[in-house]
Amino acid sequence: MEERRMREAVERLEEALPVLRNTTEAQQTEVCQGEKRAQAAEARAAEVDTQVVTRARAAEERAREAEKRAQAAEPRAAEERAREAEKWAQAAEPRAAEERA
């Protein structure tokens, strides 16, 4: 009786073994594919990070250049305003002289 149960258990195990092997192989394949997808995602994230850093550096450089141009333009703008004020003053002198007279 005991021997018969042992044989039946062995038969069930032998029947289940191929299914377990297939399941294990499928799981291993799934794990490998998941790892590959994770690696690809990491590579894309690294690429995006690189692009973001590159763009940020370029934007900083453009901002520095714009600031330099603005600083260089300030004296010119002040000179231009001074010339404009001078013109107005010169134009106003004859009128002021006429009004005084």
Side-chain angles (χ1 to χ4, degrees):
M1 184 83 170
E2 186 66 32
E3 191 178 318
R4 187 171 135 207
R5 272 197 250 164
M6 293 289 264
R7 269 191 252 133
E8 288 175 354
V10 168
E11 285 175 14
R12 285 195 302 274
L13 285 173
E14 286 174 346
E15 290 172 4
L17 189 59
V19 173
L20 289 173
R21 281 189 185 132
N22 289 339
T23 301
T24 302
E25 288 171 4
Q27 288 172 339
Q28 287 175 343
T29 301
E30 195 172 310
V31 167
C32 287
Q33 289 173 347
E35 288 174 353
K36 287 178 184 176
R37 285 192 295 271
Q39 289 171 350
E42 287 174 3
R44 283 192 301 275
E47 176 74 21
V48 168
D49 285 347
T50 301
Q51 290 174 357
V52 167
V53 168
T54 301
R55 289 179 184 155
R57 286 181 182 155
E60 288 172 355
E61 184 61 29
R62 288 192 301 272
R64 281 193 292 275
E65 290 298 319
E67 188 172 333
K68 286 178 188 176
R69 285 192 300 274
Q71 288 174 352
E74 275 182 28
R76 281 185 256 141
E79 290 171 9
E80 182 64 30
R81 287 192 298 272
R83 281 194 293 270
E84 197 65 32
E86 176 109 8
K87 287 179 189 175
W88 282 98
Q90 289 174 357
E93 280 180 20
R95 278 187 252 141
E98 287 176 12
E99 288 177 10
R100 278 180 264 160

